[in-house]
């Protein structure tokens, strides 16, 4: 688990336990089936089909983040979270567990909440990525951000960007959601400070508001 800070972290773990062939097999099957192969992922799959591969060095990719098109170079194995934080200096999504359990890294991918630590940057090519920075500013917060402030639903605040992003994505897609449904939708986000009482008030306000986020 990483510590509570925003300093760039190396995205080069020492050991990779999954064989590249096994990874590409699984990766190809899953992404082709859903029809969501990004341009770089298609290049990767095409190279793999010929018995080759892209990488392990960096390859150029294009990400659309918060409405802006950004060019960057990453190794094909780099997660979206590391690409955002370490290459694009977008540090709203936090790296806490780095294994898909805490939700601190939540971003919206084509409007759907997703763990950016569990998605490759190359998979995100061609899709609209929204981070908490794209939801509002301190001067112009969205309704979820305002509700978090109003109900004091944070302590250290490290989990907050993930909660705000997940809640925004869910309420946008489900404007008539009940308090229970909103709470359930936030089940993939954990707060180590235990500010759930405040978040319950946020959920109650959002349920009453019915959309407009
Ligand atoms: S960092 Fe915990 S789910 Fe991504
Ligand atoms: S982890 Fe500290 S406010 Fe949630």
């Amino acid at each position: 688990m990483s510590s509570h800070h925003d300093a760039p972290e190396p995205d080069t773990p020492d050991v990779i336990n999954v064989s590249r062939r096994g990874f590409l097999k699984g990766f190809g099957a899953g992404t082709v089936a859903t029809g969501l192969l990004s341009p770089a992922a298609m290049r990767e799959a095409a190279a793999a089909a010929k018995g080759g591969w892209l990488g392990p060095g960096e390859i150029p990719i294009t990400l659309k983040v918060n409405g802006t098109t950004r060019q960057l170079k990453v190794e094909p194995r780099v997660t979206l979270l590391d690409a955002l934080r370490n290459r694009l200096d977008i540090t709203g999504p936090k790296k806490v567990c780095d294994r898909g359990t805490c939700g601190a890294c939540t971003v919206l991918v084509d409007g759907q909440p997703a763990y950016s630590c569990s998605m490759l940057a190359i998979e995100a090519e061609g899709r609209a990525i929204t981070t908490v920075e794209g939801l509002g500013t301190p001067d112009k917060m969205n309704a979820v951000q305002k509700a978090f402030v109003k109900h004091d639903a944070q302590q250290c605040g490290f989990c907050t960007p993930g909660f705000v992003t997940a809640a925004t994505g869910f309420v946008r897609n489900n404007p008539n959601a009940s308090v229970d449904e909103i709470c359930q939708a936030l089940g993939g986000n954990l707060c180590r400070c235990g500010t759930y009482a405040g978040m319950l008030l946020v959920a109650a306000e959002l349920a009453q508001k019915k959309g407009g986020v």
Side-chain angles (χ1 to χ4, degrees):
M1 184 181 292
S2 61
S3 58
H4 281 197
H5 62 74
D6 280 343
E9 295 143 338
D11 51 25
T12 48
D14 297 332
V15 183
I16 298 173
N17 290 320
V18 180
S19 80
R20 186 155 189 96
R21 181 176 297 274
F23 171 72
L24 285 172
K25 263 166 100 177
F27 174 61
T31 45
V32 169
T34 54
L36 293 173
L37 225 48
S38 73
M42 279 196 282
R43 295 203 300 273
E44 179 93 16
K50 286 187 200 155
W53 53 79
L54 293 179
E58 294 185 343
I59 60 167
I61 65 168
T62 305
L63 293 181
K64 195 172 163 204
V65 188
N66 299 329
T68 304
T69 301
R70 309 281 303 264
Q71 318 274 358
L72 62 155
K73 284 185 171 178
V74 290
E75 294 174 11
R77 66 182 176 83
V78 168
T79 63
L80 175 59
L81 176 63
D82 281 339
L84 290 170
R85 292 179 58 83
N86 299 343
R87 296 294 195 281
L88 300 181
D89 206 23
I90 295 173
T91 55
K94 299 290 184 265
K95 190 171 181 175
V96 177
C97 70
D98 203 22
R99 58 190 63 202
T101 58
C102 76
C105 63
T106 302
V107 300
L108 302 182
V109 178
D110 291 336
Q112 298 293 338
Y115 292 159
S116 62
C117 72
S118 303
M119 179 175 190
L120 294 175
I122 61 172
E123 289 180 277
E125 253 199 323
R127 308 175 72 177
I129 311 300
T130 308
T131 69
V132 72
E133 288 90 341
L135 300 180
T137 63
D139 293 337
K140 212 177 162 197
M141 292 186 281
N142 82 358
V144 177
Q145 292 167 317
K146 278 186 197 156
F148 266 77
V149 173
K150 178 175 163 190
H151 298 293
D152 202 15
Q154 64 274 312
Q155 284 185 38
C156 77
F158 212 70
C159 70
T160 313
F163 270 100
V164 166
T165 307
T168 300
F170 182 73
V171 175
R172 277 182 184 166
N173 294 328
N174 304 276
N176 293 317
S178 66
V179 183
D180 279 356
E181 286 167 337
I182 295 170
C183 288
Q184 214 165 36
L186 295 178
N189 291 70
L190 302 177
C191 172
R192 285 171 296 175
C193 296
T195 56
Y196 297 113
M199 290 183 200
L200 192 57
L201 297 174
V202 169
E205 180 163 332
L206 295 176
Q208 211 171 31
K209 219 178 192 68
K210 301 217 177 292
V213 172

